[in-house]
Amino acid sequence: MVSISELQSYDHAAAYETVRHVIPEVEWAMYADDIEAIQRLKVEHDAVILAHNYMTPEVFHGVADIKGDSLALAREAEKVDAGTIVLAGVHFMAETAKLLNPSKRVLLPDLRSGCSLAESITPEDIAQLRKDHPGAPVVTYVNTSAAVKAASDICCTSGNAVKIITSLGVDKVIMIPDQYLAKNIAALTGVEVVTHPGACEVHERFTPLDIVQIRQGHPGVTVLAHPECPPEVVAEADFAGSTADMQRYVEDEQPASVALITECSMSDNIAAQHPDLEFVRPCNLCPHMKRNTLGAIRKALETGGPEIEVDPSVAAPARRAIDRMLEVH
Ligand code: 13P
Ligand code: SF4
């Protein structure tokens, strides 16, 4: 969190240096009022901003305190000391933060920030899958509601799914709700995976032809894909992993030219830190993530809402499924 002394010394012009390669100076100037207000409000309200890697650069580099993929945000949410968590992400992430740190006030800047995966499945769907596949444990992607997590045995993210499935030591699992993530993970584990017809509305739009065309236009490019992409797309990529895995890959391997087959802002945020690398930027936007504007974050801090609560009837079993995941990885 920003301290009073840091706040007093906050220098908008100096902060520009971190985003100079991805945000024009004239645009940065337009963000100054909101960014300075958010820095002040965080101190006044004892708040921290947890931001997913898909935030736009002015949010990610301008106001976020803790940044990461779904797994990192869950782990960090549990450790937050401040009284208020502003979750610059989507609804299931805010619910997860509330489940892991229930005494904190958790704010989601725009309640409409949903997720096509979370909306694709209900606890009743899980009950039916259990009936159809007796004995198979239910591994649930964190991109789901608390009620769906509560009906599950264990959660996973794209960053730990292989470890979670392997840890179960079984031949068959029910892995929901992302059919593509499930198929991509099945290919890596050799475990039989029963799934559900959910998909991410951002990643399902990528095609193998997109990658072929990127390679034709940028010879030598390294292609990294998110495992929510269809398996035929992942097969064309050089590496597949969560948003944090992709970031680590770029940092470790320093590919001269790289294409991230995922949500657009991810490339902008990493490109800001690696001006020497070429980023090819196929652009599919997540409309839910993009609702976390500076204006919406500022308003959430000013008004103390919208606040996320979890139905007490599902909180304990949902938390158990998340805790089991965090114990494995
Ligand atoms: P990760 O950041 O965990 O890779 O998830 C991507 C995503 O789509 C989150 O909504
Ligand atoms: Fe959901 Fe896809 Fe948006 Fe992530 S990118 S929040 S999985 S719709």
Side-chain angles (χ1 to χ4, degrees):
M1 191 179 64
V2 177
S3 66
I4 297 283
S5 56
E6 278 170 323
L7 182 65
Q8 280 160 351
S9 63
Y10 178 73
D11 181 342
H12 192 73
Y16 182 62
E17 291 312 311
T18 56
V19 290
R20 132 170 333 276
H21 300 284
V22 292
I23 300 182
E25 201 159 358
V26 60
E27 191 183 322
W28 185 245
M30 290 179 345
Y31 297 135
D33 183 52
D34 279 335
I35 291 180
E36 285 174 22
I38 290 168
Q39 301 290 16
R40 173 177 50 77
L41 287 159
K42 284 196 290 189
V43 176
E44 285 173 10
H45 296 289
D46 185 28
V48 288
I49 298 179
L50 269 62
H52 185 263
N53 290 329
Y54 293 162
M55 292 302 102
T56 46
E58 70 280 8
V59 171
F60 192 84
H61 293 291
V63 299
D65 300 296
I66 296 167
K67 311 165 197 187
D69 65 353
S70 311
L71 181 60
L73 293 183
R75 286 194 180 288
E76 292 298 325
E78 194 172 18
K79 294 188 232 155
V80 166
D81 275 335
T84 295
I85 295 171
V86 178
L87 204 307
V90 292
H91 191 272
F92 75 80
M93 295 177 178
E95 260 190 353
T96 301
K98 184 72 184 174
L99 284 164
L100 289 169
N101 208 338
S103 66
K104 307 300 178 187
R105 179 172 68 157
V106 177
L107 307 178
L108 181 67
D110 189 323
L111 275 184
R112 294 170 298 171
S113 309
C115 170
S116 63
L117 283 167
E119 270 131 47
S120 75
I121 189 154
T122 63
E124 291 72 33
D125 293 322
I126 295 188
Q128 186 60 50
L129 282 162
R130 283 195 194 275
K131 231 189 237 172
D132 295 344
H133 304 276
V138 176
V139 181
T140 290
Y141 196 29
V142 285
N143 297 37
T144 46
S145 67
V148 165
K149 289 183 176 78
S152 313
D153 296 302
I154 187 167
C155 289
C156 74
T157 72
S158 56
N160 64 15
V162 170
K163 272 196 181 148
I164 299 291
I165 301 277
T166 310
S167 77
L168 297 173
V170 295
D171 298 333
K172 177 176 173 179
V173 299
I174 298 167
M175 185 176 181
I176 54 94
D178 187 335
Q179 59 183 307
Y180 299 130
L181 179 71
K183 286 176 191 152
N184 287 323
I185 298 302
L188 294 173
T189 58
V191 171
E192 184 190 348
V193 175
V194 174
T195 187
H196 174 83
C200 161
E201 67 189 85
V202 176
H203 293 94
E204 70 175 344
R205 299 213 305 270
F206 289 108
T207 66
L209 185 61
D210 292 335
I211 300 187
V212 170
Q213 286 173 342
I214 286 170
R215 289 197 194 279
Q216 277 168 356
H218 303 269
V221 68
T222 299
V223 179
L224 314 183
H226 195 279
E228 288 172 8
C229 294
E232 331 60 276
V233 173
V234 168
E236 290 291 333
D238 298 301
F239 171 84
S242 78
T243 55
D245 293 333
M246 287 193 246
Q247 175 155 16
R248 271 191 291 274
Y249 186 102
V250 172
E251 274 155 17
D252 294 348
E253 305 296 327
Q254 298 280 315
S257 172
V258 59
L260 305 185
I261 308 301
T262 189
E263 213 269 353
C264 315
S265 297
M266 177 80 198
S267 300
D268 296 337
N269 291 331
I270 308 184
Q273 293 160 317
H274 297 278
D276 41 327
L277 308 182
E278 180 202 28
F279 284 80
V280 181
R281 302 181 200 199
C283 195
N284 281 350
L285 278 173
C286 174
H288 312 290
M289 293 282 185
K290 300 293 91 122
R291 291 189 189 281
N292 293 275
T293 59
L294 288 174
I297 293 169
R298 178 176 179 171
K299 192 164 167 215
L301 283 162
E302 283 169 347
T303 62
E307 185 172 354
I308 299 302
E309 297 288 357
V310 180
D311 182 342
S313 68
V314 298
R319 166 125 198 199
R320 243 191 325 273
I322 299 172
D323 281 343
R324 278 194 71 193
M325 166 183 86
L326 295 176
E327 280 158 21
V328 175
H329 181 75

